Amino acid sequence: DGGITQSPKYLFRKEGQNVTLSCEQNLNHDAMYWYRQDPGQGLRLIYYSQIVNDFQKGDIAEGYSVSREKKESFPLTVTSAQKNPTAFYLCASSIGWVTNTEAFFGQGTRLTVV
Amino acid sequence: GENVEQHPSTLSVQEGDSAVIKCTYSDSASNYFPWYKQELGKRPQLIIDIRSNVGEKKDQRIAVTLNKTAKHFSLHITETQPEDSAVYFCAASFMDSNYQLIWGAGTKLIIKP
């Protein structure tokens, strides 16, 4: 069953802690993305990766970090430097980047700072 | 900078009527315009997209129109049904931003029985 999987679905973090959100895809897609979704706003790009071992900052990268050691995996770490981390995080993948193809999204992770 | 504006933020229509959501974009070089539907608690899913060499595209009850001169594109849903209730997002790719998709803020579509 092909798709893109995010875990966990819900995550609670204490202030000052780093947390890592998992994103795995078995679609053999080259490009992967992390978005943040806040109420009443569109999707804002945090980081994206066009190929293994390469990634670029999106519009709101401050306080976040990523890695792309494997084609299937693109984990996002929310660091203590992110001042307002409570949000819904969506991971996505697509066949390529420049070809502007459909993006497939994971189910999302809702992060709450307590 | 690049920008996509989406209107209205909320749209309520009677079941069976048509719904129209409009987006405007800032970069005349944009060439790809997808629409995604996000049902409550679920992931966004592509419902239709259009490229800059086409003015209109239809898929059953859904259509998208593109006016490159005016830099706007619209989603049209005819004969609306309860399952059309969701948040709809438009997006546009921007060449100057390495073809990143810039997203509209979303429209909450409510279908009244």
Side-chain angles (χ1 to χ4, degrees):
Chain A
D1 186 24
I4 179 165
T5 303
Q6 288 185 242
S7 62
K9 190 172 182 179
Y10 299 96
L11 187 57
F12 297 88
R13 188 194 92 173
K14 293 182 179 179
E15 285 192 25
Q17 283 183 337
N18 293 353
V19 288
T20 297
L21 283 58
S22 170
C23 179
E24 304 277 332
Q25 54 97 1
N26 60 5
L27 300 167
N28 200 33
H29 285 172
D30 285 318
M32 296 188 75
Y33 320 79
W34 274 105
Y35 289 97
R36 172 178 170 142
Q37 187 175 28
D38 294 287
Q41 297 191 38
L43 303 175
R44 292 186 292 169
L45 185 64
I46 304 172
Y47 268 98
Y48 63 96
S49 170
Q50 297 170 251
I51 199 167
V52 176
N53 293 322
D54 183 61
F55 50 82
Q56 282 81 40
K57 293 181 179 180
D59 299 322
I60 56 166
E62 185 176 351
Y64 300 97
S65 65
V66 294
S67 63
R68 187 85 187 276
E69 297 176 1
K70 299 186 298 182
K71 188 175 186 177
E72 313 83 64
S73 180
F74 191 41
L76 173 74
T77 297
V78 185
T79 74
S80 57
Q82 170 51 236
K83 298 305 178 188
N84 185 23
T86 295
F88 188 56
Y89 291 87
L90 283 162
C91 179
S93 70
S94 64
I95 292 174
W97 179 259
V98 179
T99 52
N100 288 327
T101 56
E102 178 179 359
F104 291 83
F105 285 86
Q107 292 277 31
T109 293
R110 189 167 297 280
L111 173 64
T112 304
V113 175
V114 297
Chain B
E2 296 85 2
N3 186 45
V4 175
E5 293 190 0
Q6 184 172 348
H7 299 282
S9 57
T10 305
L11 179 60
S12 183
V13 301
Q14 204 70 38
E15 182 179 349
D17 288 350
S18 296
V20 180
I21 303 169
K22 183 177 177 179
C23 289
T24 59
Y25 58 97
S26 56
D27 184 1
S28 59
S30 295
N31 60 357
Y32 178 63
F33 309 90
W35 285 91
Y36 282 75
K37 175 184 181 182
Q38 186 177 27
E39 297 178 38
L40 189 63
K42 295 189 177 180
R43 70 188 81 193
Q45 291 188 296
L46 179 71
I47 54 171
I48 197 166
D49 58 12
I50 192 168
R51 298 181 191 277
S52 58
N53 58 345
V54 176
E56 183 176 5
K57 185 177 179 180
K58 287 184 180 179
D59 183 3
Q60 299 182 337
R61 295 186 298 109
I62 294 173
V64 56
T65 57
L66 172 65
N67 184 328
K68 289 208 72 180
T69 302
K71 293 189 286 185
H72 68 72
F73 57 110
S74 299
L75 177 71
H76 304 255
I77 306 174
T78 59
E79 301 173 6
T80 54
Q81 299 169 5
E83 54 264 36
D84 295 329
S85 293
V87 178
Y88 292 81
F89 292 96
C90 65
S93 68
F94 289 85
M95 185 176 66
D96 288 347
S97 296
N98 199 19
Y99 296 99
Q100 284 184 43
L101 283 177
I102 306 296
W103 296 79
T107 295
K108 183 176 182 180
L109 178 60
I110 301 167
I111 306 302
K112 297 182 289 185

